[in-house]
Amino acid sequence: MKLLRYGASGAERPGLLDAQGQIRDLSAYVPDIAGDALAPNALARLATLDPADLPPVTPDRLGPPVAGVGKFLCVGLNYADHARETGKEPPAEPVLFAKAVSAICGPYDDVQIPRGSDRTDWEVELGIVIGTRAKYVDQARALDHVAGYLLVNDVSERRFQSERGGQWTKGKSHDTFGPIGPWLVTKDEIGDPQAIDLWLDVDGQRRQTGNTRTMIFGVAHLVSYVSQFMTLLPGDIIATGTPPGVGLGMTPPTFLREGQVVTLGAAGLGEQRQRMVQA
């Protein structure tokens, strides 16, 4: 299934995308795409519905496809060639950092360039959505705790990230720096999360092309690894890192400006589009 949320910011309603590309309302069956609705039995019940029996809708806006996100975790430098383009060596263990949940926005919402920013950058990523509580899980069972996958643009302000003291969070957490969606694709539709093509364009020019098979640490490893340090709960998101081609790695480094448009996509997970605006 492709689950989504539609409507004005803060007033989204649950829905799904049918096989013909029509959005259908799910409000009669689930209060939101969040929490217990992401559990395997809840998703199985939704899968029994005939989309043709659900009301069709044509919304003005798609919101983030998951509500009530408790943790938005990210993995840095998880593609060796991306690590090297930023001047770092590939890590021996996953590099974890947090992105504020207030950064989350819809897949087509404008992205704000922060005040004082001159190094706002792009990062196309595969996102993991947790479906059931995970603590000290091993890799063999890690995917049992995954509800599905979604597309993430891990927008970053590189000066704030690297030159303003502390760790990376302040360069990753500005409002709108976490576009997710357009939909949550349940894991039964993704045969192998380590075989997903990723791409990103800026103003129609290709900047990133990659595939999740080149991750240093795969999805199962990441879920298991993170669960050794904290309990993962339904709705938590793990952004798994970006392939090469970010603005920081260009010669010379090139960053986003007001009015530019970023489009990105992942095979089976849909596409996003964001216009850059000043905060």
Side-chain angles (χ1 to χ4, degrees):
M1 288 181 296
K2 294 181 174 67
L3 301 174
L4 54 88
R5 299 170 66 248
Y6 68 92
S9 179
E12 292 94 345
R13 296 166 64 90
L16 63 77
L17 188 75
D18 70 19
Q20 288 71 47
Q22 172 66 56
I23 295 174
R24 303 278 180 168
D25 181 68
L26 276 176
S27 299
Y29 296 93
V30 65
D32 210 341
I33 310 300
D36 292 343
L38 298 170
N41 59 346
L43 294 176
R45 284 196 298 271
L46 293 180
T48 66
L49 299 175
D50 184 350
D53 294 334
L54 303 173
V57 291
T58 306
D60 293 330
R61 173 181 178 270
L62 290 184
V66 180
V69 177
K71 293 189 284 296
F72 194 172
L73 304 171
C74 302
V75 182
L77 310 175
N78 197 25
Y79 291 73
D81 37 12
H82 169 60
R84 293 191 182 99
E85 76 175 345
T86 65
K88 298 179 174 65
E89 287 300 312
E93 293 189 42
V95 175
L96 299 181
F97 61 93
K99 201 174 184 83
V101 296
S102 55
I104 293 172
C105 65
Y108 309 116
D109 291 345
D110 291 344
V111 164
Q112 299 175 12
I113 296 176
R115 295 177 184 179
S117 166
D118 61 0
R119 295 187 183 181
T120 297
D121 206 346
W122 56 84
E123 292 190 15
V124 59
E125 305 196 8
L126 169 69
I128 307 164
V129 179
I130 299 300
T132 59
R133 183 181 184 276
K135 179 66 173 176
Y136 293 127
V137 300
D138 59 34
Q139 287 192 47
R141 300 298 301 274
L143 296 187
D144 294 345
H145 298 272
V146 173
Y149 304 95
L150 45 69
L151 180 64
V152 176
N153 187 358
D154 176 19
V155 186
S156 310
E157 212 300 335
R158 302 301 189 184
R159 191 182 300 280
F160 296 178
Q161 177 183 349
S162 300
E163 300 179 17
R164 296 293 299 273
Q167 301 183 12
W168 291 359
T169 302
K170 68 181 71 172
K172 297 284 190 169
S173 294
H174 191 269
D175 295 351
T176 73
F177 268 25
I180 61 173
W183 37 74
L184 162 64
V185 182
T186 53
K187 65 181 178 183
D188 58 289
E189 289 201 9
I190 303 296
D192 181 0
Q194 303 307 148
I196 297 174
D197 289 325
L198 304 168
W199 61 269
L200 182 144
D201 293 349
V202 178
D203 288 341
Q205 298 295 313
R206 184 59 44 94
R207 296 299 185 213
Q208 290 186 274
T209 303
N211 188 286
T212 56
R213 67 175 170 268
T214 65
M215 285 180 180
I216 300 171
F217 307 106
V219 169
H221 183 109
L222 293 174
V223 172
S224 174
Y225 183 86
V226 174
S227 79
Q228 311 305 309
F229 300 96
M230 65 194 80
T231 301
L232 292 168
L233 298 173
D236 286 350
I237 295 172
I238 304 172
T240 59
T242 197
V246 300
L248 179 65
M250 296 178 67
T251 305
T254 303
F255 300 106
L256 292 165
R257 305 182 306 277
E258 182 179 11
Q260 290 191 297
V261 174
V262 174
T263 52
L264 58 148
L269 299 178
E271 299 183 7
Q272 297 184 5
R273 180 184 186 277
Q274 294 108 30
R275 182 171 61 94
M276 301 299 116
V277 299
Q278 283 296 142

